[in-house]
Amino acid sequence: MPITSDDTVKLSSGGWRSARLIIGVEMAERFAYYGISSNLITYLTGPLGESTASAAANVNVWIGTLSFLPILWAFVADAFLGCFCTIVISSFLYILGLALLTFSAMFPSHCDDPSQLVSCPSQLQVTLFFFSLYLVAIGQGGYKPCIKVFGADQFDGDDLKEAEDKSSFFNWLMFGICVSILSTRLVSSYIQENLSWSLGFGIPSVAMLLALLLFLLGTSSYRFSTDGGGKKNPFARIGRVFVEAVKNRRQRDFDISNPSKTLLLLPHRSSKQLRFLDRAANACDLDEIEDAKAVLKLVPIWITSLVYAIVYAQSPTFFTKQGATMDRSISPGLLLPAATIQCVTSVSIIIFIPIYDRLLIPIARSFTQNPSGITMLQRIGTGIALSILAMVVAALVETKRLQTAREDISVLMSVWWLVPQYVIYGVADVFTMTGLQEFFYDQVPSELRSVGMALNLGIYGAGNFLSSFMISIIDRVTSQGGQTSWFDNDLNQAHLDYFYWLLACLSFIGFACYLWFAKSYVYNRPNTF
């Protein structure tokens, strides 16, 4: 049923009743995804026998592809299928990919000498593995943006109480996701490294099947949005604005053929920006021009947020390989899986979100009168600043680890030295990751919210591609002339610390650019401060 102000309808559908169920669905899906991705680099360098640099690049490319595909799926969802149908269809592809991935891990080794340390995967196994991995990416590409939009649509943004609940929804969605991530990193990583990779991939497959069943179970309680009903295709409407603005590019702002229309734009602060689009006023409606401006204004924020995504790409790759070289013993004969140390990030998020939502936001709200406590861009910027600090700490810890290893290779530095960088990384996620979700949901035209969420995910996709590109170039340059690569397979001879310092410097430059654009940004919603 459509979103409406009618109290009877609100009581019978949507709200926290449906949102809690969707959070549960997302928790099951995140259990499945992180059960694969958290330890992927270990599988690539282990059973598939890839080098550290090649495996890190492959992980980055996969995550990048996975994060860009939502843009294509969002077009399908917003223009044709709607969120509900897109979630169901993509979930089936997701489950199929996970099932095939599990099957690929069952192939026996083809080594002539079973005692040799190097793995010998068959070409069929490698092909099936990567086919399955990218099928998972295709399925998740449709699922991920739509489930978040569908969950937020269970609240009416025009109702003050439900608007506050919607902002809180993104916080508790993040909380539930991190509980699930913590669980899968403890369970799946241990099973994969100590029992069986096929079983370690099979459990996430079952989790995703449960996610789909749980989602379908709540069909009768969902609130279905009808924003944009009766309007033309939103992509056609916005695209037409850009085409008309280009066609009329030689006209001066005051020389538009229908000035009475453009004058109506002036009372709105947002309309004073990107005035060149006003040249489309003689062929397009005012709402269409405003929607086009809303989309175009997101581009600088999107680009300057990439520095955060590049830092974000390091946790499942080099942070994990870093931990694998350290002392991970918990007790005699019991080693902590390297990927499990990522649980520190999840724990820090789980602890910090209630503090943020129940303590810091009310305090900030009393000063700013903003329902969210601080603005979305302030929240995002705080997280980017913290991500720079995380890189600095990571560089210092890696420098210390290398000094320890080179003084006496038999003395291993404790893996718990990595805890500070993971904690800062987790707190940064609470600010930036959740802030970006809310920002790209709230600031796009209502009928393009799936695209908005896809643009948010695209930040991480571009960040992973940039990270992969940087790794490939740096590896090639630093290994020339017989020199040791920064990403040498023997991390005790490599220089991850140099790479971390480079990321810290690039992040600082990107953060300065972000502040410049954020300062001049004008929000689209009148109730957004």
Side-chain angles (χ1 to χ4, degrees):
M1 58 188 68
I3 296 178
T4 174
S5 60
D6 184 81
D7 291 337
T8 304
V9 174
K10 286 184 179 180
L11 289 173
S12 63
S13 67
W16 278 112
R17 175 191 175 191
S18 298
R20 289 190 188 97
L21 180 62
I22 291 172
I23 289 174
V25 172
E26 181 69 344
M27 287 176 68
E29 185 275 333
R30 292 289 82 186
F31 184 97
Y33 170 73
Y34 280 95
I36 301 299
S37 66
S38 293
N39 217 15
L40 185 58
I41 192 168
T42 305
Y43 186 78
L44 292 174
T45 56
L48 292 193
E50 294 189 351
S51 67
T52 299
S54 176
N58 275 329
V59 172
N60 286 153
V61 169
W62 177 67
I63 295 177
T65 303
L66 183 146
S67 300
F68 265 124
L69 283 172
I71 297 175
L72 299 177
W73 274 102
F75 171 83
V76 174
D78 284 339
F80 304 106
L81 295 178
C83 282
F84 183 86
C85 290
T86 304
I87 291 169
V88 174
I89 293 172
S90 60
S91 293
F92 278 112
L93 294 175
Y94 201 155
I95 293 166
L96 178 60
L98 289 171
L100 290 175
L101 195 69
T102 304
F103 178 69
S104 73
M106 296 179 181
F107 281 59
S109 174
H110 283 66
C111 293
D112 295 330
D113 181 6
S115 63
Q116 70 183 78
L117 299 177
V118 180
S119 296
C120 311
S122 67
Q123 187 60 44
L124 176 61
Q125 180 184 5
V126 174
T127 302
L128 181 59
F129 173 80
F130 280 103
F131 172 79
S132 306
L133 200 61
Y134 280 88
L135 185 58
V136 169
I138 292 171
Q140 206 216 32
Y143 174 91
K144 195 170 182 180
C146 293
I147 194 70
K148 289 181 171 66
V149 171
F150 194 71
D153 281 347
Q154 303 309 304
F155 301 98
D156 183 358
D158 294 327
D159 181 282
L160 182 59
K161 177 63 172 64
E162 291 205 6
E164 291 182 6
D165 288 341
K166 180 182 289 188
S167 181
S168 186
F169 164 76
F170 285 105
N171 290 331
W172 291 107
L173 177 65
M174 184 73 165
F175 179 88
I177 286 172
C178 288
V179 170
S180 186
I181 293 173
L182 176 62
S183 302
T184 193
R185 282 175 174 163
L186 288 172
V187 175
S188 298
S189 297
Y190 180 83
I191 291 174
Q192 289 163 359
E193 293 192 27
N194 295 280
L195 297 178
S196 165
W197 280 99
S198 57
L199 180 60
F201 289 157
I203 292 174
S205 305
V206 174
M208 188 59 212
L209 179 60
L210 291 175
L212 176 59
L213 295 176
L214 187 61
F215 178 73
L216 295 174
L217 191 64
T219 302
S220 61
S221 70
Y222 296 142
R223 188 184 295 174
F224 294 89
S225 174
T226 57
D227 282 337
K231 294 183 180 180
K232 292 181 293 184
N233 184 302
F235 297 94
R237 292 193 302 110
I238 291 175
R240 183 165 165 257
V241 172
F242 290 110
V243 171
E244 292 296 330
V246 171
K247 286 169 60 177
N248 298 324
R249 63 187 179 279
R250 298 185 185 280
Q251 291 182 328
R252 297 173 63 87
D253 288 346
F254 57 81
D255 194 28
I256 299 176
S257 60
N258 196 346
S260 61
K261 282 189 174 184
T262 44
L263 286 174
L264 293 174
L265 294 170
L266 298 180
H268 304 283
R269 288 180 61 210
S270 62
S271 298
K272 295 180 182 179
Q273 298 181 322
L274 305 175
R275 292 294 304 276
F276 69 92
L277 290 179
D278 293 346
R279 295 184 175 92
N282 56 357
C284 302
D285 295 337
L286 299 181
D287 287 342
E288 293 174 345
I289 295 174
E290 285 300 289
D291 287 350
K293 288 184 177 182
V295 172
L296 193 58
K297 283 194 304 178
L298 298 176
V299 174
I301 303 299
W302 191 93
I303 292 174
T304 53
S305 297
L306 290 176
V307 291
Y308 172 78
I310 295 173
V311 171
Y312 183 83
Q314 307 316 311
S315 178
T317 53
F318 289 130
F319 282 13
T320 302
K321 291 300 292 182
Q322 200 177 356
T325 66
M326 304 174 81
D327 180 11
R328 296 177 285 122
S329 58
I330 301 175
S331 63
L334 182 60
L335 284 179
L336 182 74
T340 302
I341 193 65
Q342 296 177 47
C343 292
V344 174
T345 298
S346 302
V347 171
S348 63
I349 293 173
I350 292 169
I351 293 172
F352 188 69
I353 282 181
I355 296 173
Y356 179 82
D357 194 74
R358 299 304 183 190
L359 181 62
L360 298 183
I361 287 181
I363 293 174
R365 190 182 293 149
S366 66
F367 288 99
T368 64
Q369 307 305 312
N370 186 325
S372 298
I374 58 177
T375 67
M376 290 175 280
L377 290 176
Q378 288 171 343
R379 182 174 186 174
I380 294 166
T382 301
I384 294 176
L386 287 172
S387 72
I388 299 173
L389 178 60
M391 277 292 97
V392 171
V393 172
L396 292 173
V397 170
E398 177 62 7
T399 300
K400 175 66 176 175
R401 189 194 69 80
L402 287 173
Q403 290 175 349
T404 302
R406 288 168 184 174
E407 288 172 2
D408 186 350
I409 197 169
S410 64
V411 178
L412 297 179
M413 189 169 159
S414 173
V415 75
W416 301 115
W417 277 82
L418 297 180
V419 168
Q421 68 198 55
Y422 276 110
V423 169
I424 299 170
Y425 192 82
V427 176
D429 280 355
V430 173
F431 283 99
T432 298
M433 183 178 287
T434 310
L436 284 170
Q437 287 179 10
E438 187 176 0
F439 179 78
F440 281 94
Y441 174 87
D442 184 76
Q443 293 299 296
V444 296
S446 57
E447 65 269 28
L448 285 178
R449 281 173 173 162
S450 295
V451 171
M453 199 59 70
L455 288 173
N456 164 51
L457 297 173
I459 292 173
Y460 303 100
N464 276 277
F465 278 125
L466 288 172
S467 177
S468 178
F469 176 75
M470 290 174 63
I471 291 168
S472 298
I473 295 298
I474 293 171
D475 183 53
R476 184 177 302 175
V477 171
T478 57
S479 61
Q480 288 180 348
Q483 299 180 44
T484 302
S485 168
W486 285 10
F487 312 114
D488 191 82
N489 288 341
D490 182 0
L491 290 190
N492 291 333
Q493 301 300 318
H495 269 293
L496 288 183
D497 53 337
Y498 293 173
F499 183 59
Y500 292 159
W501 282 119
L502 175 63
L503 291 183
C505 293
L506 293 176
S507 295
F508 181 80
I509 296 170
F511 180 55
C513 296
Y514 171 86
L515 291 178
W516 193 85
F517 286 110
K519 184 178 179 180
S520 60
Y521 186 87
V522 178
Y523 290 95
N524 297 326
R525 306 286 188 267
N527 59 343
T528 306
F529 296 90

